[in-house]
Amino acid sequence: MTNPPWRINDVNRGIVVDQLDRRIAVVPKAGAVPFNERQANLAVITAAPELLAALLEAAYILDTAGTPLNTEFYDLINRCRQGAVPLHPRAQRKNI
């Protein structure tokens, strides 16, 4: 994943770019997706790096405190980190 921040470069064309103005995503025009949903999709895409960082931090804090997240959350984190070493709950790491 490229580094944040990501931003909407062209709201009319639905283009999201990274900090170096490289195209990250294009959301279909309002005809294919209702305008308010398109705007929400653009907002979620631009927040993706920060959302992943927050989820990683929450997983670490909770796991360190002895309260690991459900397996589904680790699966989600790992799907977002393609090519990275998979993250597992601390208790499971001892068995790997």
Side-chain angles (χ1 to χ4, degrees), residues 21-71:
D21 286 334
R22 295 177 296 190
R23 188 178 291 188
I24 298 298
V26 177
V27 177
K29 292 188 178 179
V33 176
F35 181 76
N36 60 338
E37 289 180 27
R38 182 174 188 249
Q39 295 302 100
N41 290 341
L42 284 167
V44 169
I45 291 168
T46 59
E50 290 93 346
L51 290 170
L52 178 57
L55 185 55
L56 283 165
E57 183 176 358
Y60 174 78
I61 290 168
L62 290 169
D63 196 30
T64 302
T67 308
L69 298 171
N70 293 332
T71 305

